[in-house]
Amino acid sequence: MERAWRNCPRVSGPALPWALAAGFFVVYAALSVRQHQRMLTTGYDLGIFEQAVRSYAEGHLPVSALKGPGFSLLGDHFAPVLATLAPFYRLFPTPLTLLVAQAALLAVAVVPLSRWAHQAHGTTAALVLGLGYGASWGIASAVGFDFHEICFAVPLIAFSVTALGNERWRAAALWAAPLLLVKEDLGITVAAIGTYIAWKGPRLLGLATAAAGIAGTLLEILVVIPAFNPDHTYAYSGFLDQTAGGGSMAGLLHLPLDLITPQAKATTLVLLLAPTAFMALRSPLIALALPTLAWRFLSSNPAYWGTDYHYSAILMPIVFGAFIHALSRWAPGQSANDRLTVRAALAISAATTLLLVPQFPLSRIIDAAAWRTPARAAAAHRLMARIPDGATVAASNRLVPQLTDRCTVAVFGFPGIPLTSDWIIDDTHAPMGWPLSPEDETQTLQAARDAGYRTVDQREGYVLLHRPSTGRSDP
């Protein structure tokens, strides 16, 4: 049954997947660029990734002042794939380069998925599945919050899952292999793909792929990252929930409950499967989502449990690939009941997608406010223009990515990072509350003045301070 669709004649319309990808690229890029122009992007995380790409573009390993003076980002996460953006950044040294690249990478993943759906069930299925992936909440949440290295993983997984569904085992392994260069935890996904190949296809190829994935993750977490980390550790190992096992029998017995509670975890699971009418569960490909779901739900960090941020983006091609794979058992030309099942599933998928879109960031694209730049932004840019290129700056989180292309920038008030910058620029009118509360922010600004910084200018709630003792003349 799984291969029945392959025996059907091909349907014309090869341009459809690329048309969908082009459309979503425009939407993703427009939303991301407008977010940045409206000063809604942040140092954590866009600023950090721009500092990484800028480092590669300048010919050295990635360093981020946002993480600490001289901090090597290879000691935080293993993501050498970011170096591929360096040539583009040399031509266009701006954070918009990262945002546009992310839009392209996330959009191109629609191509293999919609092409597979088109071959299996025709144009309607290709549209529903393509639009379902492209407008999915996991992709929308990633687009709506800065830039992240996982944008490279999304198309790789989409192509690999499609190859698995077509039983092109070698192609699936080759598409999965570069995931080891995207982020250290993705080796476990590579191992899951290898396990699937060993189960359904060539055992030797599958076992080799699985072994490479596990070995890659262990090498990166236990050797490479600690070698670059100033504390010689992997900083995120502490996020594993101590109540989710902890080595005790009681913890192990509690483990199944930890995977679905608190409620945010169960909500995430339901929202993952709802756009597929829960039919993704009928495909073994859905098992590829388990490694990511396991580390997220066993973590003690609540940010990993829900639907915000970028954490679910890599699950979207898996879920929709599993959906297509499940529908493949009801190939065209079979009984009327089978065709009705496919149509009902596609209708439920389309309806669910339409219901979810307004709840997530892609809906901002039709909000009139998204196309108006706040008046305060002009004041911020006037103040930032007074900061010379190459200066060291401590800035509010939302001001950081406005400066990282030409200055060495840290987040103002970030704990553990000494205030040694030439300049401070802070938004006192609309503080984010991170890393400083409004009260602490006021106290920290006063402490900076007491330490020798003086106010150069202030307007619309933005304040610019400079410390003349650095030897620079005042502008």
Side-chain angles (χ1 to χ4, degrees), residues 5 10 49 61 80 88 118 122 158-159 173 187 190 238 260 272 314 326-327 378 383 389 402 419 431 443 447 470:
W5 67 269
R10 288 181 176 270
F49 285 108
L61 293 178
F88 303 100
H118 192 277
F159 278 100
V190 176
I260 57 173
L272 274 174
I314 63 172
L327 291 178
L383 264 62
D389 292 352
Q402 307 292 328
L419 188 58
Q443 295 175 8
T470 59

Side-chain angles (χ1 to χ4, degrees), residues 422 451-453 466-472 474:
D422 301 333
Y453 288 89
H466 178 50
R467 185 168 56 184
S469 59
T470 59
R472 297 184 184 273
D474 290 344

Side-chain angles (χ1 to χ4, degrees), residues 46 50 53 94 97 170 177 186 250 277 280 283 289 297 324 329 406 418 461:
L46 177 58
E50 185 181 4
V53 174
T94 163
T97 298
R170 187 168 179 269
L186 288 171
S283 166
F297 289 177
I324 301 168
R329 67 184 64 201
R406 63 184 186 87

Side-chain angles (χ1 to χ4, degrees), residues 23-35 96 99-104 143 365:
F24 279 117
F25 167 71
V26 171
V27 172
Y28 299 160
L31 177 59
S32 296
V33 169
R34 286 304 299 157
Q35 290 275 104
L96 297 182
L99 297 175
V100 171
Q102 175 172 262
V143 173
I365 202 74

Side-chain angles (χ1 to χ4, degrees), residues 104-249:
L105 289 164
L106 295 177
V108 79
V110 79
V111 173
L113 295 171
S114 57
R115 181 186 294 155
W116 181 11
H118 192 277
Q119 292 171 345
H121 289 288
T123 301
T124 299
L127 281 171
V128 171
L129 273 296
L131 293 171
Y133 159 80
S136 63
W137 60 265
I139 299 300
S141 294
V143 173
F145 180 58
D146 290 8
F147 170 95
H148 299 89
E149 74 279 84
I150 55 88
C151 64
F152 287 93
V154 174
L156 291 172
I157 291 173
F159 278 100
S160 185
V161 167
T162 299
L164 289 176
N166 285 271
E167 298 185 3
R168 293 185 287 111
W169 309 118
R170 187 168 179 269
L174 290 174
W175 280 113
L179 292 172
L180 291 168
L181 303 178
V182 177
K183 198 176 178 186
E184 64 279 358
D185 61 277
L186 288 171
I188 308 302
T189 299
V190 176
I193 291 170
T195 301
Y196 187 95
I197 294 172
W199 175 32
K200 294 286 190 178
R203 181 168 298 179
L204 183 59
L205 174 63
L207 292 177
T209 302
I214 293 172
T217 285
L218 290 176
L219 180 65
E220 291 164 12
I221 289 177
L222 300 179
V223 179
V224 178
I225 293 176
F228 286 95
N229 187 279
D231 297 324
H232 303 292
T233 61
Y234 178 59
Y236 300 94
S237 59
F239 282 146
L240 287 179
D241 194 342
Q242 296 178 356
T243 66
S248 68
M249 182 58 68

